[in-house]
Amino acid sequence: MKALTDPAPGDTDGGATIYQVAERADVSIATVSRVLRGTAPVAAATRARVEAAMAALRFTPSRLGVSLAERHHAANGIVFPDLSGPYFAEVVLGYEEVAAEVGRSVLILSTHGRQAAREMVLDLAARVDGMVVLARTVDDEVIAEVLGKNIPVVVVARDRVRGADSVNAENEHSAEALGAHLAAHGHRSFAFMGDPEISADAYHRWTGLTRALRAHGVNVPQRPVACPFDEDGGREAAAVLLGTDPPDALVCANDEIALGAITAAEQMGIRIPDDLAVTGWDDVMAARHSRPGLTTVRQPMRQLGAWAARRLHERLGGDTSAPRHEVLPTQLVVRASCGHHNKEDR
Amino acid sequence: MKALTDPAPGDTDGGATIYQVAERADVSIATVSRVLRGTAPVAAATRARVEAAMAALRFTPSRLGVSLAERHHAANGIVFPDLSGPYFAEVVLGYEEVAAEVGRSVLILSTHGRQAAREMVLDLAARVDGMVVLARTVDDEVIAEVLGKNIPVVVVARDRVRGADSVNAENEHSAEALGAHLAAHGHRSFAFMGDPEISADAYHRWTGLTRALRAHGVNVPQRPVACPFDEDGGREAAAVLLGTDPPDALVCANDEIALGAITAAEQMGIRIPDDLAVTGWDDVMAARHSRPGLTTVRQPMRQLGAWAARRLHERLGGDTSAPRHEVLPTQLVVRASCGHHNKEDR
DNA sequence: TTGTAGGCGTTATCAC
DNA sequence: GTGATAACGCCTACAA
């Protein structure tokens, strides 16, 4: 009796097929498909037989078969440069969360700045119905190629690309506010760390900062100090910068650079914020816990991912309206690293 | 002329098929497939025609078709509870990196402690050739189910599961070393924060700690203080604990809990490490930058993911040997939060 | 060297 | 209600 209800010992492989279920229930595969999808009425008795057969065989429909027939993957992709910093991890998390909610699997792809990025993205494009592209992982042409295959893409933390939706956190005004705050502290000589050539975010932050400085009659630095967006990048670039002509204030494109810079400064005996003000961007966990607390700009990382996922879902639902370009608000978080404040100095 | 080499305007959809290429090149689909895969010799002239046709049509073979025919996905999955902390993000990153290297796409699934975890994992199982499961995201039965479908799984940061490979960072000895260090500082009353019921890592750390305390003749706390593995969890639990009977030393299951506990302590006017020693686990970025620096245990998060990816790849390559159980070494990182040191107090 | 035809596992359209 | 059967897009013996 037992042997009858258990899966055949021989079928060691990827599971039973709809044919085996049909045979066991003594119906056609069409009927099995019907009870599976509830797409048409099936007699109660028949349904029961089919369900019993499915259970006995531990039948799970092949995603490949289903997708091929339905002509879509029920999966989306997301490509980012790296997951090492807290920033991208948060965006991806926000993305995954709503993608899962609306029933789509998510494929990730980290380009790591590899040369093969284009091929990797194109390969990804063959596995998904839509995808989101973070920052400058690939050129606009690659995105155009993907769009050309009729798979929608939404870009995040990146300038607009023809034909794609986009979400960004507000940058210029936030940078202006930050610059104004620093100027009000009396800082007169500035430096900006981060690479505007590589990051649209950094570019706009640099732009906003310079505008603020100009408005406040403060000298604008010649150019940004380009450096990788991590602690080491910040530390090394700061070591050089502070060794030659140290500014009063160091505005960094993200918290990691800032934290790295602070490390370098402390090693050189430079006190923060007395000798040097330092600010970051993102408000990661370490920014809260460092001493002095890091003045920074908080941006809604989770929401960036969530918005992208929702928009993609709309597109895949048939929305063919003009691309939308969302800008999410940020928040200046003033702590101690930007200089002494009058009241509660914390 | 142009119209001839461009893709037909009508074929707006998911791209050309092998049939269209074949027709255009005036060969059979078999030949197209051969030039695609290099699986058999093709006359130079023929190959040229086919390649021209592919280029003109911007042909990309359908992953679905390929996978269905080849009977595998060329993709792996990874399931984790959440990506919010630095820990899982690092593991996933390490995983993705080597998975990509060996040419497999990666699908991620965050269970968020959702009830539907089982269904989600089973759904994932239908889309991949193998998968890694982090921590206690799902019950052993679910893993058994997946294994039953003949898809290999390797578990990470989790106790062994019959039939699956596993990688873990060393826990007990590290915890013993940490406990010994704290005892040497003279601390006599301990508390442990984290939930051993939920995390195998936490369980083994608790075990190691109690053993060390016993060995040093120090009172062993009745039980761990269960709390969520994030800052809020640490902060709230610590607020209660420190309000009633504060210990000398607080050993936390990860850095986030520790940092949260420190925040709570400071708000209560308790000084670290003078009044209370606090230690974490993981050595995340914030641990380095907090003041006092957080004493912690560094574990090779990236490598955990990388090992899992490599092992999975071996399995998928046909390795059917007995499950392997790897334990990666950790490193005690002593900073200031565990108490004053004689020499360089940093 | 190249073509024919069957198979991979579903869905969905027709008839009955 | 149910059952044939044609897609879906590709791979691969087997023939020629």
Side-chain angles (χ1 to χ4, degrees), chain A residues 50-63:
Chain A
V50 172
E51 280 168 347
M54 297 200 302
L57 262 27
R58 295 191 196 297
F59 171 70
T60 308
S62 152
R63 248 335 303 179

Side-chain angles (χ1 to χ4, degrees), chain A residues 12 149-150 231 288-289, chain B residues 12 60 127 150 231 288-289:
Chain A
T12 126
K149 294 181 186 302
N150 239 287
E231 275 192 87
R288 281 199 299 285
H289 291 283
Chain B
T12 125
T60 309
R127 304 174 160 274
N150 239 286
E231 276 192 85
R288 281 198 299 284
H289 291 283

